[in-house]
Amino acid sequence: MSDDAPSLLVATQCAVRVLTLNRPAALNSFTAEMHARLRAALDEAAGDASVRALVVTGTGRGFCAGQDLNDPAMAGPDADVGAIVERVYKPLALRIRSMPVPVVAAVNGVAAGAGANFALGCDLVVAACSASFIQAFSKIALIPDCGGTWLLPRLVGRQRALGLALTGDKLAAEEAARIGLIWQCVDDAMLMDTALVLATRLAAMPSKALAETRRAIDDALGMDYASALSMEAERQGVLGRAPDAREGVAAFVAKRAPKFSDR
Ligand code: T3D
């Protein structure tokens, strides 16, 4: 691969935007430059009404190995790691979580450090059977970032979160699916087809309601039962008055496919 190859590839298939991390020689680890491209591409997709689902994946044998430990701007001896996490990893995690459309991670190979948590922060994670997840932070004397401390215990419970984070052991995709860390593990050859079929299906669904579902589930995790029920009533009220809900009901009654447009 030439040094001039873009570190992020952007493609569109119907209503699905596919973002591919493209630094395979370094297992698609994050440089400042790749962060900037990814951020711009996510912002652009969020603002483009024709985009109704997103797939993120990587080229080569890795999905993403987290921070590029050779990037002097971000991992050199003088790097302020806390400031970097605040400046790039926190906004990345929040951007994914606030996308107006569903985000599917198609994990094609090893996902380590912030690369693992970037994937786990997506709405649905589909991984190739040969892929793996590594909370590599403890091996370089750091804690999980890019949302790892929040995501891991919520996805797999405190004991498994600590097991993964303290040991930094590699977790095979099949086991990740078995314990509920990810949505699905598929044959390597089926990864992109599976992710694209899933994303295309989600793209035809009511985007606004899907994004509100994500927000409600995340918010409910911090609420008591009664508060969650009140939150559901309030937000259902807003969605119920929106055009997509009217279209959904009208399509059901008319026995036709709905055409959703809210975003
Ligand atoms: O600024 C900050 O630091 C704050 C942000 C922190 C967030 C983080 O993500 S911290 C965690 C950083 N990531 C890691 O610690 C993972 C480092 N990589 C690995 O442990 C291993 O590469 C893997 C377990 C992921 C894969 O192992 P393996 O044996 O399959 O591949 P490999 O031979 O180690 O790597 C292949 C190439 O990718 C190799 O380059 P080479 O020798 O062929 O020229 C290797 O150096 C390169 N590579 C892999 N990971 C990184 C990397 N280069 C730079 N940065 C990496 N993170």
Side-chain angles (χ1 to χ4, degrees):
M1 167 132 336
S2 103
D3 285 348
D4 296 337
S7 58
L8 184 78
L9 307 177
V10 180
T12 307
Q13 298 199 12
C14 300
V16 178
R17 180 69 48 88
V18 181
L19 304 182
T20 304
L21 306 180
N22 189 40
R23 303 186 62 244
L27 301 182
N28 302 318
S29 51
F30 281 113
T31 56
E33 191 263 352
M34 193 171 85
H35 264 297
R37 283 182 188 259
L38 179 59
R39 183 59 203 265
L42 289 168
D43 287 347
E44 202 279 325
D48 183 343
S50 71
V51 174
R52 294 182 63 85
L54 209 75
V55 173
V56 294
T57 189
T59 50
R61 71 177 181 86
F63 172 74
C64 175
Q67 175 58 43
D68 183 325
L69 300 175
N70 290 318
D71 184 349
M74 294 181 71
D78 298 326
D80 182 340
V81 177
I84 290 164
V85 170
E86 184 72 31
R87 193 173 72 242
V88 290
Y89 287 100
K90 178 179 165 186
L92 172 63
L94 290 174
R95 173 73 278 190
I96 292 287
R97 219 59 176 186
S98 64
M99 286 300 285
V101 296
V103 185
V104 175
V107 179
N108 53 298
V110 63
N117 295 334
F118 166 54
L120 298 177
C122 295
D123 296 315
L124 291 173
V125 185
V126 181
C129 275
S130 66
S132 55
F133 297 82
I134 308 176
Q135 294 294 321
F137 306 92
S138 59
K139 293 183 177 162
I140 54 169
L142 296 177
I143 61 167
D145 62 23
C146 200
T149 58
W150 191 92
L151 292 164
L152 289 170
R154 284 170 170 77
L155 289 168
V156 293
R158 181 175 186 274
Q159 185 61 200
R160 280 181 168 132
L162 277 171
L164 293 170
L166 296 182
T167 65
D169 281 351
K170 180 186 282 197
L171 184 73
E174 208 164 352
E175 180 66 358
R178 194 189 69 77
I179 66 173
L181 187 73
I182 64 171
W183 174 243
Q184 201 179 2
C185 166
V186 297
D187 284 348
D188 288 17
M190 292 304 296
L191 177 68
M192 280 317 284
D193 278 357
T194 305
L196 287 169
V197 165
L198 180 59
T200 302
R201 209 179 119 199
L202 294 168
M205 294 177 71
S207 304
K208 178 77 181 163
L210 298 190
E212 282 297 296
T213 299
R214 172 210 292 141
R215 190 165 74 93
I217 284 179
D218 286 349
D219 290 352
L221 284 165
M223 292 177 187
D224 62 35
Y225 193 36
S227 304
L229 288 164
S230 300
M231 175 270 290
E232 289 172 5
E234 185 197 325
R235 296 187 193 173
Q236 204 73 298
V238 176
L239 286 171
R241 288 189 289 277
D244 269 359
R246 286 199 294 276
E247 166 63 6
V249 173
F252 177 81
V253 171
K255 298 189 188 302
R256 62 168 172 80
K259 177 108 187 66
F260 296 115
S261 55
D262 292 348
R263 193 167 179 274

